[in-house]
Amino acid sequence: MVISIIIEGGVLANDNISAITMNNVESLRQSFYRIFNGILQENEDISIKIIPQASDKQAIKSYLVATEDTFLLIDLDMPKQQKAQWFDNLAMLPNKPITIPDERKEHIYFMIQEMEAWILKQPEAIYKWAIEYNHYLTKRTDNLAEHTMLRNRNVEEIAKPSSVLEKLITTFFEKDFNGTRAEKKKLGKVRYTKLKEGSELLDCLNIALLLAQDDELKRFKGNILTSVES
């Protein structure tokens, strides 16, 4: 069984896109492949293809013209309880409304509320990425997971997890120059982008734990394995 998963977060390939950006898109694709391959436990009966699209609307349109063995993974950008509203919002777009047939809705899976929520669910992965992978310096002695932006919060209720993740990264880490703490704050600042840092952070996630933490991924796995068995 060959399945394709369309994701948002890539770029439109054209002459103005740098090789570095295209490499970062490929890294993001590979990161999602690793996660979904791990979720399906490298099932030999399933072959996975990840297809990045530049925007949510492009991802949706590509999904609607794709085969039935294609799935859509997309940011919900709202709380879990409002999934039905997501479909209604598309149908009410003022210029080009998008209506998704009921039979195609079951193959749509959401990152609630954004991809970065997966990362915020595992603060230890942020430390792994920052310290082990990039050798950044920690700016604070308190634990990132205990910061007010995360402590006692349901990550899926955070409206802009990408913004929270970026703030946490800049708050807790800085770059090391010549083995010493950078004197100029602007030179030592650690940045976050979805394509580069996002893919690196995804690679630091514990897949088994993420599956246990995320109902949409559980739904995906259950539906795929049911299809294989039928």
Side-chain angles (χ1 to χ4, degrees):
M1 179 181 183
V2 179
I3 64 171
S4 297
I5 304 173
I6 296 173
I7 63 171
E8 64 171 305
V11 294
L12 286 174
N14 59 60
D15 293 339
N16 295 322
I17 300 299
S18 70
I20 292 176
T21 298
M22 293 307 299
N23 286 340
N24 288 338
V25 172
E26 174 59 17
S27 294
L28 186 68
R29 187 196 67 77
Q30 292 177 4
S31 298
F32 274 101
Y33 176 84
R34 168 187 168 270
I35 288 174
F36 280 96
N37 200 42
I39 286 172
L40 298 175
Q41 298 177 333
E42 300 181 0
N43 191 308
E44 294 181 357
D45 296 326
I46 305 173
S47 178
I48 302 171
K49 182 179 181 181
I50 303 294
I51 306 173
Q53 293 291 333
S55 69
D56 56 347
K57 300 300 185 297
Q58 287 173 328
I60 294 166
K61 291 175 182 178
S62 295
Y63 168 71
L64 289 175
V65 298
T67 64
E68 62 180 14
D69 291 328
T70 300
F71 301 81
L72 175 63
L73 180 70
I74 196 163
D75 291 342
L76 182 60
D77 291 320
M78 58 182 66
K80 179 190 298 186
Q81 299 81 0
Q82 297 179 23
K83 283 200 290 185
Q85 185 63 45
W86 185 87
F87 294 100
D88 292 341
N89 290 347
L90 287 177
M92 293 186 293
L93 289 173
N95 296 324
K96 295 182 179 180
I98 301 174
T99 301
I100 299 179
D102 288 342
E103 64 271 16
R104 300 302 302 272
K105 291 180 180 180
E106 284 303 308
H107 280 192
I108 298 177
Y109 298 88
F110 296 101
M111 295 175 283
I112 304 172
Q113 300 186 23
E114 294 178 310
M115 179 198 84
E116 288 78 6
W118 287 1
I119 300 165
L120 292 179
K121 289 178 179 182
Q122 297 185 21
E124 63 277 9
I126 303 175
Y127 279 103
K128 182 178 181 180
W129 164 78
I131 298 172
E132 295 183 24
Y133 279 52
N134 289 293
H135 307 292
Y136 294 147
L137 297 172
T138 55
K139 296 165 64 175
R140 299 171 60 128
T141 57
D142 54 325
N143 193 296
L144 181 149
E146 294 301 314
H147 193 278
T148 53
M149 286 188 282
L150 270 188
R151 188 178 66 245
N152 298 326
R153 297 190 69 182
N154 179 349
V155 170
E156 293 186 354
E157 295 295 325
I158 296 175
K160 278 290 183 182
S162 55
S163 296
V164 171
L165 177 60
E166 182 178 13
K167 290 176 183 176
L168 287 170
I169 286 173
T170 57
T171 298
F172 278 83
F173 307 106
E174 64 182 350
K175 294 180 180 179
D176 185 10
F177 286 85
N178 300 320
T180 60
R181 190 175 298 275
E183 293 182 2
K184 293 184 179 180
K185 189 174 182 180
K186 65 178 182 180
L187 293 179
K189 186 176 181 179
V190 178
R191 65 195 299 258
Y192 171 79
T193 63
K194 183 171 184 174
L195 285 181
K196 185 178 185 299
E197 288 77 18
S199 63
E200 291 176 356
L201 281 155
L202 289 180
D203 288 341
C204 294
L205 294 177
N206 180 313
I207 299 174
L209 177 59
L210 181 64
L211 179 61
Q213 294 171 320
D214 195 276
D215 289 341
E216 287 291 288
L217 293 178
K218 291 176 189 173
R219 182 169 70 90
F220 170 83
K221 181 177 182 178
N223 289 346
I224 294 297
L225 294 184
T226 299
S227 297
V228 172
E229 294 168 0
S230 62

